[in-house]
Amino acid sequence: MTKTSMADQAYAQLKRDIVKTTLRPGTMISDSAIAEEYEMSRTPVREAINSLRREGLVVVMPRRGTFVKPIDFSEIQDLYALRKMVEPEAAVLASERASSAELEDLAELSELSTDPSVEKHVLNERNGQLHVRIAELSGVPVLAKTVRSIHEEIERCLNLRKELGRPYKAVNHGRLVDAIESHDPGVIRDTALQGIERARSHMMTVLTSHSGSASALYQE
């Protein structure tokens, strides 16, 4: 296996551990410890850490070390504000451009995102996949990339909520897919906005209620 592919493997695994909160917000990252855990040399792990630092999932604090980025309250608010700007329009475009078969697949993904038989972190991952897929169906690659980036951070917050004993249950997905299938722009926008606001309100309620007892996890 080449050095590049090892770096890619380290990047994918480390990012997944951060997003799943196996490595919780505020956790110090040691390249040697990660390399030992992943059974690889330190060089690809360092490359992975640098890539995640550029993405903002890892932060370097002078004279202290390298850490998983804490949850930033103001950033989370901004992410939901950004969702309100881009996701309703992505859904409208998806309704105009997706084929019947693609909309059927979207409905199946919606059902999987609320399947009570799987673990919560899997549902959290599927939650993001659904919204990213809608953006992909819009036919605008930069829009899909933006939505993917937003939901990686939101997935991390959802997984933290699960650890704090307040898992999130998506209830709007079926309504959103039904709205997209209606091809009515007004209905689509209203449904998307209602779901985003509900998710934002629940997220902030849970995170703020735990911020005092787990301050290392948060940045205000």
Side-chain angles (χ1 to χ4, degrees):
M1 188 173 289
T2 66
K3 174 183 173 182
T4 300
S5 64
M6 288 296 290
D8 289 344
Q9 180 182 334
Y11 166 84
Q13 189 165 348
L14 185 55
K15 185 172 188 175
R16 197 73 225 134
D17 283 346
I18 290 173
V19 171
K20 287 177 64 178
T21 63
T22 302
L23 291 171
R24 299 183 71 180
T27 300
M28 179 179 282
I29 296 177
S30 163
D31 56 6
S32 58
I34 294 292
E36 182 177 355
E37 180 180 348
Y38 293 176
E39 298 182 342
M40 59 179 65
S41 70
R42 293 170 66 180
T43 299
V45 171
R46 286 172 180 167
E47 292 180 19
I49 290 172
N50 283 332
S51 294
L52 292 168
R53 178 181 55 80
R54 288 190 292 270
E55 290 184 21
L57 285 173
V58 167
V59 294
V60 177
M61 298 182 181
R63 297 183 298 278
R64 291 185 58 193
T66 301
F67 299 83
V68 177
K69 188 187 77 170
I71 299 297
D72 187 319
F73 286 110
S74 62
E75 181 182 337
I76 296 303
Q77 293 277 29
D78 289 343
L79 287 176
Y80 278 99
L82 184 56
R83 286 191 67 190
K84 290 180 179 181
M85 286 186 260
V86 301
E87 290 190 27
E89 300 311 311
V92 170
L93 287 173
S95 76
E96 296 171 352
R97 299 177 177 179
S99 67
S100 297
E102 287 171 331
L103 290 179
E104 288 178 7
D105 290 343
L106 192 64
E108 290 181 10
L109 182 56
S110 172
E111 291 181 7
L112 289 173
S113 71
T114 57
D115 183 352
S117 68
V118 301
E119 295 184 26
K120 291 298 182 182
H121 73 86
V122 175
L123 291 182
N124 293 338
E125 182 177 9
R126 290 176 180 175
N127 171 74
Q129 289 173 345
L130 176 69
H131 293 290
V132 171
R133 183 56 183 154
I134 292 170
E136 289 174 343
L137 292 175
S138 76
V140 184
V142 70
L143 183 54
K145 182 178 180 180
T146 299
V147 172
R148 181 177 292 106
S149 178
I150 290 171
H151 279 278
E152 285 175 348
E153 182 65 5
I154 287 176
E155 184 183 343
R156 188 166 77 109
C157 293
L158 291 175
N159 285 324
L160 180 60
R161 284 181 55 151
K162 175 180 69 69
E163 284 199 17
L164 295 174
R166 295 284 298 277
Y168 177 70
K169 182 178 181 180
V171 298
N172 199 59
H173 289 172
R175 298 171 193 162
L176 181 57
V177 173
D178 287 345
I180 291 171
E181 291 177 337
S182 78
H183 303 286
D184 183 322
V187 171
I188 294 168
R189 291 188 180 101
D190 287 346
T191 303
L193 287 171
Q194 289 169 11
I196 294 167
E197 175 54 29
R198 176 185 179 276
R200 185 205 65 79
S201 178
H202 282 225
M203 177 72 77
M204 298 311 298
T205 296
V206 172
L207 294 182
T208 55
S209 69
H210 287 83
S211 60
S213 59
S215 58
L217 302 176
Y218 304 101
Q219 175 181 325
E220 298 189 62

